Amino acid sequence: WGVNANGQTYGVPNSNGMPDLSAALATNGQQGYILNEELMAFEGEGFITVYNSDGTNVIGQFPIGDVQE
């Protein structure tokens, strides 16, 4: 995994576990990362934020469940 300036790991889950930021495709087609702590805290259906690898700059949304934009 990569490590950003904030010390967060980013990439894809593997045999070592989950990075802080997991790769995700935003509804706008941009590739970015979702914060796993936000994903684990999310309940129900809706959208969570997709960030670039710095874990700060928002680039889109990722749908959870059967949601409509």
Side-chain angles (χ1 to χ4, degrees), residues 25-53:
L25 184 63
T27 57
N28 62 9
Q30 291 194 54
Q31 179 66 49
Y33 300 89
I34 54 174
L35 280 166
N36 283 316
E37 72 179 43
E38 289 180 4
L39 178 61
M40 295 303 154
F42 190 85
E43 294 182 17
E45 295 181 334
F47 295 91
I48 60 173
T49 305
V50 177
Y51 302 92
N52 67 10
S53 62

